[in-house]
Amino acid sequence: MTFRLRAVRGLVLLAGFYLMGVVLLSAMAVLDWLLVTRLFTARAAWFEGMVLTVTILLAWSILRGMFVSLRAGRLGPVPHAVAVTPQDQPALWEQVCAAAEVTGERLPDELYLVAEVNAGVAEQNRLLGLLPGRRRMLLGLPLLAGLTVPQLRAVLAHEFGHYSNLDTRLGGVTMRGRKAVLHTVEVFREGSTPLHYAIGTLYVGYARMFLRTSQSLARHQEFAADQLAARHAGRDATVAALRILPVLAAAHTHYLETYAAMGGPLGALPPVGEVHGGFQRLLAARTGERLAALSAGQPPPRPHEYDSHPSAAERIALIEKLPADDRADGAADEPAALTLLHDPDRMFAALEARTLPQEAARLRRMSWDDLVLARAVADAEVWSRPLRVAVARTLRSSAQGTDGSVTARRDATAEGVANDQLPGLDEILDAFDRGLLWMAVADRMPKPHQAARLIGPSARNFIRPKVFDGLAGMVHLRLAEAGHTTPDIAWSGQPGLVLPEAWEKGMDDALDAAVADTPDTAPLRALLVGPHSVSPHNSRSNLRSPTPPKW
């Protein structure tokens, strides 16, 4: 079947989707008229009343569904985006105009920058999708940071290609109708009443038939949009854009979780504009292989049941079959798409102001280095506190001369120990030297209920990593307090503290010896009295993590 015939069939089925509502409403109106004028009897009044009630409720459900269909595709406000005009960003609009021209499409009425690795063109449909309306384009600033200019050209041409007439104008009408039908199906699936759900089942069944029938048409449109992108931007640039999009998405997720959210527990934010702007620093610091490693092993997103997008591998294979052109990818030489923006730092700051919640205005701003140091100290406090509390309770129990096992059970449900009552690193090592680690301290370390019955080597092996982390946290606190650590934002790796060389080389072995079955604290003490040590009375300074905000 030719594309034109598939488009005609899709258009007929689309019209039938809405005609079905008119037929159902007409049939119920005729039935109600017959009941009232011809079939009404006093003896069966209760039955006729019940039928009238049911038909009215069904008619309301159908009308509601049809009304939803009419409203499908409405363009609402975009509060978490920055609008840019041709006067604001002429170079970016020039690329948009070129893509629209090559696809034979009209320009968007609005262009917004958003905080996503995404691009899209949305259109406000009129007359059930039969007529085009106001058009809006969304471009992600993180996307611009990760694409080259040729790759951006390919993305723009592809998005306009979704609305291009291509083989026939009917294809575009059917594609707009698919969006309206999908929206209607979702509304009927959320039926608030049994009658609404019942009538929705009929619509959903018909919609599935229409969507299945038009699926090949939608996929054809997608492939045709790829062809347009390849002709406009070049075959290799289009393939490169398709390959890098999932890599950028994974890298952006990693950035948000590891860097942008670093100050969450501290009630702090990166410098103005860096909540989103820091992503370009991560991209600049990592090679393509290191970026690809962030997405390695991640399953591809599960497509929608009626998604028109074929797999990226299938799309790339078809594009690579096109004749070679004289335009290479040029990823190493071509400028980043972000250079098309006038004053991109200002754009990142404006987008940050639109996307952050109002509560964020009260949060303090910190440089990246200060943020890394503060977060490292806060994490060290968290790691070390369970061990410090367990040692404090052990020492208190030992001083009181009570039975260790009984105290361990009583302390397990006691209130938390105040910070000024917690022991320092030297006191913890002294307790280990007295043989209290595996006799009493380990019993007071928090553990899940499933591990409560472990004894002997199994219990020690379960709790040993937590004791190791607690000691490591105490070491980080002491070195940070003495100024012997250097914060490292590590855009190419993992942010954290750089320790003195002696500690970097020997700390893990020293900690392993201290938490062995027979604890040996001598290696750790030797490091403590080395050139990067601090006096014991300073080890319990006021290095305390800020109070986390209430989100």
Side-chain angles (χ1 to χ4, degrees), residues 57 74 139 143 168 179 189 231 238 273 382 479 550:
L57 291 176
R74 293 286 181 95
L139 279 177
L143 181 70
T168 173
K179 294 182 179 180
R189 280 177 172 173
R231 287 200 296 269
T238 304
V382 173
L479 292 175
K550 295 182 179 179

Side-chain angles (χ1 to χ4, degrees), residues 50-393:
M50 182 180 66
V51 172
L52 287 173
T53 302
V54 170
T55 55
I56 291 173
L57 291 176
L58 287 175
W60 167 249
S61 298
I62 294 172
L63 288 172
R64 181 172 179 267
M66 295 177 68
F67 181 72
V68 167
S69 300
L70 291 172
R71 294 183 59 86
R74 293 286 181 95
L75 296 181
V78 191
H80 303 303
V82 176
V84 292
T85 65
Q87 293 74 30
D88 296 331
Q89 302 294 341
L92 179 61
W93 270 93
E94 181 181 349
Q95 296 295 331
V96 174
C97 293
E101 181 179 356
V102 77
T103 56
E105 281 296 299
R106 58 189 175 88
L107 287 172
D109 302 288
E110 307 164 356
L111 175 59
Y112 287 91
L113 298 178
V114 296
E116 301 173 5
V117 181
N118 199 4
V121 178
E123 192 174 88
Q124 181 159 303
N125 299 328
R126 296 180 297 164
L127 194 58
L128 309 178
L130 299 178
L131 297 178
R134 184 162 54 99
R135 183 171 288 181
R136 172 186 295 165
M137 170 166 274
L138 302 178
L139 279 177
L141 263 183
L143 181 70
L144 296 181
L147 296 181
T148 64
V149 173
Q151 291 166 0
L152 177 64
R153 292 193 191 107
V155 171
L156 293 175
H158 176 89
E159 294 303 325
F160 280 113
H162 287 159
Y163 292 88
S164 177
N165 294 333
L166 304 174
D167 299 86
T168 173
R169 185 176 299 273
L170 297 179
V173 173
T174 305
M175 294 304 296
R176 287 192 292 267
R178 278 176 61 90
K179 294 182 179 180
V181 169
L182 280 170
H183 186 70
T184 306
V185 167
E186 293 300 325
V187 171
F188 271 122
R189 280 177 172 173
E190 301 170 357
S192 55
T193 66
L195 290 177
H196 185 201
Y197 181 81
I199 200 67
T201 302
L202 180 62
Y203 269 91
V204 169
Y206 188 95
R208 285 175 174 168
M209 179 181 65
F210 165 70
L211 293 172
R212 282 195 301 267
T213 302
S214 59
Q215 188 78 351
S216 61
L217 177 67
R219 291 171 65 88
H220 179 92
Q221 293 276 87
E222 198 69 31
F223 288 134
D226 286 339
Q227 302 273 331
L228 282 175
R231 287 200 296 269
H232 177 54
R235 184 192 67 177
D236 294 341
T238 304
V239 169
L242 283 173
R243 284 179 172 153
I244 200 174
L245 285 175
V247 174
L248 289 178
H252 189 243
T253 299
H254 172 74
Y255 168 77
L256 293 178
E257 294 174 350
T258 305
Y259 295 91
M262 186 186 303
L266 310 173
L269 287 173
V272 174
E274 290 292 295
V275 173
H276 301 301
F279 182 57
Q280 57 185 322
R281 307 182 193 280
L282 182 145
L283 294 178
R286 303 199 182 206
T287 62
E289 291 78 9
R290 291 184 64 86
L291 287 175
L294 296 175
S295 61
Q298 292 186 0
R302 179 176 296 180
H304 189 279
E305 183 180 2
Y306 302 108
D307 192 359
S308 63
H309 286 73
S311 67
E314 188 178 357
R315 294 168 62 188
I316 289 173
L318 288 178
I319 296 173
E320 288 180 333
K321 291 180 179 179
L322 296 175
D325 49 45
D326 57 354
R327 293 173 292 180
D329 173 16
D333 303 324
E334 292 287 347
L338 199 62
T339 59
L340 295 172
L341 294 180
H342 173 66
D343 196 356
D345 291 339
R346 180 175 62 87
M347 290 292 98
F348 277 113
L351 184 62
E352 180 179 299
R354 291 296 190 96
T355 55
L356 291 178
Q358 294 183 351
E359 296 80 6
R362 299 193 294 267
L363 302 182
R364 55 183 174 145
R365 297 281 184 166
M366 301 175 67
S367 69
W368 282 114
D369 284 345
D370 290 343
L371 200 56
V372 170
L373 178 60
R375 179 59 186 267
V377 169
D379 288 345
E381 287 279 357
V382 173
W383 299 340
S384 63
R385 182 173 176 82
L387 176 62
R388 299 175 75 186
V389 169
V391 172
R393 290 171 175 169

